């Protein structure tokens, strides 16, 4: 038992230096260094079952968010497969997948539960997503993801924003912390109505570290060496976005088109009570003037006699 443990540690440290850069490796190079913090927790299973619990008869609910969230799950599965296929040392990740189920009621037996609430979730006014992990030692035992459907200003979130938020929260559910790179899906802030977030090689190195136990074909055995909550470092030159399949990409719908969103915004401004009252007021004045001073009809010239 003890020798197994030591062997495991040895393999773990080899693994971690194979693809993940330490701060000393990247120091001295004249380029940006991106970071990803780790939660220090990992799942002890490669098939992770996700239950999406949809709200019942809530006036603020829009079922479009089910598809946004399913696409975010699909993005993770796409990125995991692509990364495992292109990096032989991480080929073990090919067995890792998130398996979603949608239900209008909570049911036992799932690993991750997704719930929606109308607006801000935590005490902070800008929290639009929250992931809570329960653990025993280093092993994650339960995970709850809470997604908001409305911003802190009360505006319904766009389909694409919900996908970006869910993508970020599922990163936490898999053991990732935050990245310091503003373009990364794990960056802790999100610009609403921004472009679709893509998963990166940095995010997937984090996943490879979190699921390192899968490479040994042994059962899960938490070892502090690779689950210590360390930060991963990567030179910006190594950073790449990972592909997403067409079915999981944000759909090019009318609603997601930035031009249409601007027109809708202008329409909302014009329909604002203060402005519409002014428009009606001037329209009424115009009508009154038109009635009081009707324009004389142009008379046809007299026919030649
Ligand atoms: Zn976060």
């Amino acid at each position: 038992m003890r020798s197994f443990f030591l062997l495991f540690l040895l393999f773990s440290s080899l693994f971690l230096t194979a693809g993940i850069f330490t701060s000393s490796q990247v120091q001295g190079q004249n380029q940006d260094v991106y970071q990803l913090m780790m939660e220090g927790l990992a799942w002890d299973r490669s098939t992770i079952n996700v239950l999406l619990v949809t709200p019942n008869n809530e006036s603020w609910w829009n079922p479009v968010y089910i598809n946004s969230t399913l696409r975010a799950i699909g993005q993770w599965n796409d990125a995991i497969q692509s990364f495992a296929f292109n990096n032989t040392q991480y080929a073990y990740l090919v067995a890792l997948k998130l398996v979603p189920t949608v239900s209008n009621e909570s049911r036992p037996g799932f690993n991750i539960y997704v719930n929606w609430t109308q607006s801000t979730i935590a005490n902070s006014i800008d929290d639009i997503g929250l992931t809570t992990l329960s653990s025993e030692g280093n092993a994650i035992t339960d995970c709850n993801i809470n997604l908001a459907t409305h911003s802190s200003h009360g505006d319904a979130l766009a389909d694409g924003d919900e996908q970006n938020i869910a993508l970020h929260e599922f990163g936490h559910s898999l053991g990732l912390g935050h990245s310091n790179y503003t373009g990364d899906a794990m960056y802790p802030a999100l610009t609403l109505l921004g472009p679709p977030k893509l998963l990166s090689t940095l995010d997937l190195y984090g996943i490879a570290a979190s699921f390192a136990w899968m490479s040994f074909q042994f059962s899960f055995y938490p070892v502090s060496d690779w689950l210590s909550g360390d930060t991963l470092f990567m030179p910006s030159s190594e950073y790449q976005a990972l592909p997403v399949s067409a079915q999981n990409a944000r759909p090019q719908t009318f609603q997601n088109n930035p031009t249409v969103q601007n027109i809708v915004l202008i329409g909302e401004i014009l329909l604002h009570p203060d402005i519409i009252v002014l428009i009606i007021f001037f329209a009424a004045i115009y009508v009154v003037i038109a009635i009081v001073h009707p324009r004389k009809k142009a008379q046809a010239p007299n026919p030649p006699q």
Side-chain angles (χ1 to χ4, degrees):
M1 191 64 193
R2 187 168 177 80
S3 59
F4 160 67
F5 187 81
L6 287 173
L7 187 69
F8 193 96
L9 271 176
L10 178 67
F11 271 108
S12 301
S13 54
L14 278 175
F15 162 80
L16 280 171
T17 51
I20 297 161
F21 301 84
T22 64
S23 56
S24 58
Q25 274 178 286
V26 292
Q27 268 172 9
Q29 298 175 33
N30 188 20
Q31 56 186 340
D32 290 338
V33 177
Y34 297 155
Q35 298 175 21
L36 179 67
M37 289 189 287
M38 298 294 293
E39 302 276 8
L41 300 170
W43 288 99
D44 62 354
R45 60 187 62 240
S46 55
T47 297
I48 299 172
N49 294 304
V50 184
L51 187 68
L52 280 60
V53 186
T54 59
N56 288 311
N57 303 320
E58 302 284 2
S59 57
W60 47 264
W61 171 240
N62 183 345
V64 77
Y65 297 132
I66 300 172
N67 289 331
S68 322
T69 307
L70 289 173
R71 288 197 307 272
I73 293 171
Q75 264 189 278
W76 270 108
N77 287 331
D78 287 347
I80 290 166
Q81 290 305 307
S82 156
F83 189 78
F85 186 79
N86 290 307
N87 297 276
T88 48
Q89 70 270 42
Y90 305 122
Y92 59 85
L93 288 177
V94 78
L96 174 63
K97 58 180 180 294
L98 292 163
V99 181
T101 303
V102 179
S103 170
N104 61 1
E105 58 182 8
S106 194
R107 307 201 315 243
F110 289 83
N111 307 117
I112 298 174
Y113 289 85
V114 178
N115 286 279
W116 285 269
T117 48
Q118 180 178 7
S119 194
T120 56
I121 293 156
N123 294 325
S124 161
I125 56 164
D126 281 319
D127 276 39
I128 42 181
L130 183 71
T131 299
T132 311
L133 295 169
S134 307
S135 60
E136 278 178 27
N138 291 110
I140 300 169
T141 51
D142 290 292
C143 175
N144 284 288
I145 294 178
N146 207 328
L147 301 174
T149 60
H150 289 63
S151 73
S152 53
H153 302 293
D155 301 318
L157 295 171
D159 179 23
D161 286 335
E162 191 77 352
Q163 183 169 352
N164 283 343
I165 297 163
L167 191 71
H168 177 96
E169 297 306 325
F170 275 101
H172 287 318
S173 80
L174 295 171
L176 306 189
H178 285 146
S179 171
N180 70 335
Y181 174 47
T182 53
D184 196 87
M186 294 315 293
Y187 188 72
L190 178 73
T191 305
L192 295 181
L193 300 181
K197 290 280 187 183
L198 294 171
L199 295 169
S200 68
T201 42
L202 179 60
D203 303 323
L204 268 290
Y205 278 130
I207 297 296
S210 195
F211 289 86
W213 60 268
M214 287 172 67
S215 66
F216 308 113
Q217 299 178 328
F218 299 133
S219 59
F220 181 77
Y221 199 86
V223 180
S224 59
D225 193 34
W226 55 271
L227 285 173
S228 58
D230 283 345
T231 301
L232 308 185
F233 298 89
M234 174 181 277
S236 57
S237 58
E238 300 286 327
Y239 187 94
Q240 284 177 356
L242 293 166
V244 56
S245 62
Q247 71 181 63
N248 295 318
R250 181 191 297 185
Q252 283 302 312
T253 59
F254 200 61
Q255 192 200 3
N256 284 329
N257 185 311
T259 311
V260 171
Q261 283 169 352
N262 285 333
I263 292 170
V264 168
L265 188 66
I266 291 167
E268 282 174 357
I269 291 168
L270 290 176
L271 287 173
H272 190 276
D274 294 344
I275 292 174
I276 200 143
V277 161
L278 270 179
I279 293 172
I280 291 171
F281 177 73
F282 284 113
I285 288 176
Y286 178 82
V287 168
V288 168
I289 290 170
I291 291 169
V292 173
H293 297 287
R295 279 195 286 177
K296 288 179 182 164
K297 275 186 184 170
Q299 287 179 346
N302 290 336
Q305 306 249 329

